[in-house]
């Protein structure tokens, strides 16, 4: 009856389940999910289903018998967009997280078909509360320091409901889980006594405005949960300003001569026969220019070999790089990010700067991300304590408004390399950046 009333008045973008008391209850929800998805399909929407499998209580009471667990496995979980069990519920559903003694996680068919999963770790011991997440976008451990409070009633519901709200707003599953982690941690910090016993958490709207709520995300392939949230920081970058991204040593020389002091050499083809020569020449040019800092895009081994003092990596590069070798060599590290989960992964590594974008649409690469715009750029510069660089689609006409958001730098490509007078463009961009900063 509740679902019928809501469907007629406010068709949902997401549904979150709570305690389902019987197989009949579960089947009613499944039928309605199918019906709502069918009615939303012509508009190109898919109603998200977040399953919070409440199979038992923290006191040890069992809410689901074998028949109900089987109905979850056969009927509800194959329909799920996201499933958020705690460790005990996950084991009853036949899923193990990366911390289990048997090693690699067990991935059932319903999860491999495209659903997302977060096995929450709030009930475990340890300094960190670590959730094992498995999504189409990212896999690994999402971690924050454990909140020491006895007022924790409603933690799992707050987590699942926050994730459902994020999915309803259009966030991908990995981003939804980061936001849910932030919201739940903040709610735990504001838990309160409602009587003589343990009280409830208190969800507050400003959860995303506090750095202490931003979790870290481990790299793919990390099986054990982290023992500490923070890594040793990379070498700090100096003032970044206008950040020229060019594809040859000749262009490096040209922009340095024009007054640009932050340059990235970006040669995407690793088989280019002159790649090493371009890197070596660019490193020498930067060394001869007071105040210059050069970042080599992608090719971190050659950057180390040629003595470069900076490397810039995309998210796809992080699973194949020796980060400790870069850190031990004193190399500055810049990382590209486009979403909450990518920032969480970058933040875990404590890089020299974090690039956030795309600020605007760009033609420089195939771009699966929605442009973040100035509001998100201003949000990240206000939240993160490391320098933030705005990337993508920035030209002379956008430079001042980008700089006005508080960024440490703004990356440009075609605004320089496609300009009729690149040297004049460099001067124009630098002047616009300073105007925006003021």
């Amino acid at each position: 009856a509740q679902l019928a009333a809501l469907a007629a008045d406010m068709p949902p973008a997401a549904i979150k389940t709570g305690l389902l008391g019987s197989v009949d209850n579960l089947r009613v929800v499944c039928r309605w999910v199918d019906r709502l998805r069918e009615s939303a399909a012509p508009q190109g929407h898919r109603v998200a289903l977040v399953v919070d499998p409440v199979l038992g209580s923290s006191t040890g009471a069992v809410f689901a018998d074998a028949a109900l667990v089987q109905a979850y496995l056969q009927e509800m979980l194959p329909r799920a967009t996201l499933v958020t069990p705690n460790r005990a519920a996950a084991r009853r559903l036949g899923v193990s997280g990366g911390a289990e003694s048997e090693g690699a996680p067990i991935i059932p068919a319903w999860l491999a078909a495209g659903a997302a999963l977060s096995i929450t770790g709030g009930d475990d011991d340890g300094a960190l509360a670590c959730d094992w997440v498995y999504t189409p976008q990212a896999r690994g451990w999402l971690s924050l320091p454990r909140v020491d409070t006895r007022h924790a009633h409603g933690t799992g519901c707050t987590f699942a409901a926050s994730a459902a709200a994020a999915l309803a707003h259009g966030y991908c599953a990995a981003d939804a889980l980061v936001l849910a982690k932030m919201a739940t941690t903040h709610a735990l910090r504001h838990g309160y006594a409602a009587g003589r016993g343990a009280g409830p958490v208190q969800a507050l709207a400003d959860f995303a405005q506090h750095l202490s709520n931003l979790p870290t995300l481990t790299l793919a392939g990390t099986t054990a949960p982290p023992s500490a949230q923070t890594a040793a920081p990379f070498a700090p970058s100096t003032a970044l300003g206008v950040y020229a991204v060019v594809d040859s040593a000749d262009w490096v020389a040209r922009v340095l001569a024009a007054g640009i002091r932050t340059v990235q050499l970006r040669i995407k083809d690793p088989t280019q026969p002159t790649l090493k020569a371009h890197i070596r020449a660019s490193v020498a040019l930067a060394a001869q220019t007071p105040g210059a800092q050069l970042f080599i895009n992608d090719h971190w081994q050659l950057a180390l070999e040629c003595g470069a003092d900076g490397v810039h990596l995309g998210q796809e590069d992080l699973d194949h790089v020796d980060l400790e070798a870069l850190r031990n060599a004193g190399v500055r590290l810049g990382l590209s990010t486009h979403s909450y989960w990518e920032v969480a992964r970058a933040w875990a590594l404590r890089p020299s700067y974090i690039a956030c974008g795309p600020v605007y649409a760009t033609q420089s690469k195939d771009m699966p991300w929605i442009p973040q715009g100035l509001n998100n750029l201003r949000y990240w510069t206000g939240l993160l304590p490391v320098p933030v660089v705005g990337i993508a689609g920035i030209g002379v006409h956008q430079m001042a408004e980008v700089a006005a958001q508080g960024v440490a730098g703004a990356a440009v490509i075609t605004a320089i390399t496609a300009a009729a007078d690149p040297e004049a463009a460099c001067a124009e961009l630098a002047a616009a950046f300073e105007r925006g900063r003021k």
Side-chain angles (χ1 to χ4, degrees):
Q2 292 170 352
L3 285 163
L6 287 170
D9 186 30
M10 295 184 292
I15 292 174
K16 170 210 165 286
T17 67
L19 174 61
L20 297 172
S22 68
V23 173
D24 286 341
N25 284 164
L26 181 144
R27 286 175 175 160
V28 167
V29 175
C30 288
R31 285 198 300 271
W32 270 98
V33 168
D34 292 345
R35 190 178 305 174
L36 289 165
R37 284 177 172 171
E38 184 178 352
S39 63
Q43 289 77 43
H45 303 308
R46 177 174 170 82
V47 178
L49 174 61
V50 178
V51 178
D52 182 16
V54 184
L55 307 182
S57 74
S58 55
T59 62
V62 177
F63 298 148
D65 58 17
L68 182 53
V69 171
Q70 197 62 25
Y72 266 106
L73 291 170
Q74 293 181 351
E75 301 178 50
M76 177 157 278
L77 298 188
R79 291 174 166 83
T81 306
L82 171 64
V83 187
T84 63
N86 59 21
R87 298 264 189 269
R91 282 192 290 270
R92 289 195 70 188
L93 296 173
V95 186
S96 72
E100 301 293 341
S101 59
E102 56 265 36
I106 298 170
I107 307 301
W110 59 264
L111 183 56
L117 169 73
S118 175
I119 303 178
T120 58
D123 294 333
D124 297 343
D125 296 324
L128 297 181
C130 300
D131 305 334
W132 188 75
V133 300
Y134 183 102
T135 73
Q137 301 82 31
R139 301 168 190 179
W141 292 95
L142 205 57
S143 304
L144 273 172
R146 188 175 303 280
V147 178
D148 184 15
T149 178
R150 64 195 294 255
H151 305 309
H153 282 309
T155 304
C157 291
T158 298
F159 184 86
S162 299
L167 290 170
H169 276 289
Y171 287 95
C172 68
D175 281 353
L177 289 171
V178 172
L179 287 162
K181 183 82 166 174
M182 296 178 77
T184 304
T185 301
H186 201 55
L188 281 162
R189 296 188 203 282
H190 292 85
Y192 61 94
R196 295 182 180 180
V201 299
Q202 182 177 196
L204 298 172
D206 65 340
F207 68 90
Q209 306 302 322
H210 302 273
L211 179 66
S212 59
N213 293 334
L214 180 64
T216 58
L217 177 63
T218 58
L219 299 178
T222 306
T223 55
S227 57
Q229 193 191 10
T230 59
F234 278 84
S237 60
T238 58
L240 294 163
V242 177
Y243 186 155
V245 181
V246 297
D247 62 1
S248 71
D250 290 340
W251 269 112
V252 171
R254 197 167 176 180
V255 296
L256 288 174
I260 303 296
R261 289 297 174 262
T262 307
V263 187
Q264 181 184 134
L265 179 65
R266 182 175 180 262
I267 300 175
K268 299 304 291 182
D269 184 3
T271 65
Q272 182 173 324
T274 58
L275 173 62
K276 185 174 180 179
H278 278 285
I279 293 176
R280 195 178 296 280
S282 298
V283 169
L285 286 163
Q288 296 162 12
T289 307
Q293 50 190 340
L294 173 74
F295 293 88
I296 306 301
N297 183 279
D298 290 354
H299 310 295
W300 62 272
Q301 297 101 324
L302 286 175
L304 283 177
E305 183 182 336
C306 297
D309 61 4
V311 170
H312 181 92
L313 299 175
Q315 292 285 321
E316 67 277 6
D317 304 311
L318 288 176
D319 297 328
H320 313 289
V321 64
D322 188 341
L323 291 165
E324 282 309 300
L326 294 176
R327 191 180 277 112
N328 293 337
V331 171
R332 298 184 180 106
L333 176 66
L335 295 175
S336 292
T337 66
H338 310 87
S339 62
Y340 265 98
W341 74 264
E342 290 188 348
V343 172
R345 198 157 82 145
W347 174 233
L349 303 176
R350 298 302 191 265
S352 308
Y353 70 81
I354 293 177
C356 293
V359 181
Y360 307 101
T362 178
Q363 302 301 318
S364 67
K365 64 189 296 185
D366 185 27
M367 190 179 65
W369 311 285
I370 298 170
Q372 295 201 37
L374 297 175
N375 286 342
N376 274 357
L377 187 62
R378 184 168 59 253
Y379 167 72
W380 287 120
T381 60
L383 186 72
L384 294 170
V386 297
V388 170
V389 173
I391 56 172
I394 302 170
V396 171
H397 300 298
Q398 296 83 22
M399 181 59 74
E401 62 184 9
V402 169
Q405 311 314 310
V407 295
V412 293
I413 303 177
T414 56
I416 294 175
T417 58
D421 186 342
E423 285 71 21
C426 288
E428 244 187 300
L429 288 162
F433 188 86
E434 289 308 311
R435 273 200 316 276
R437 292 284 285 178
K438 290 175 182 177

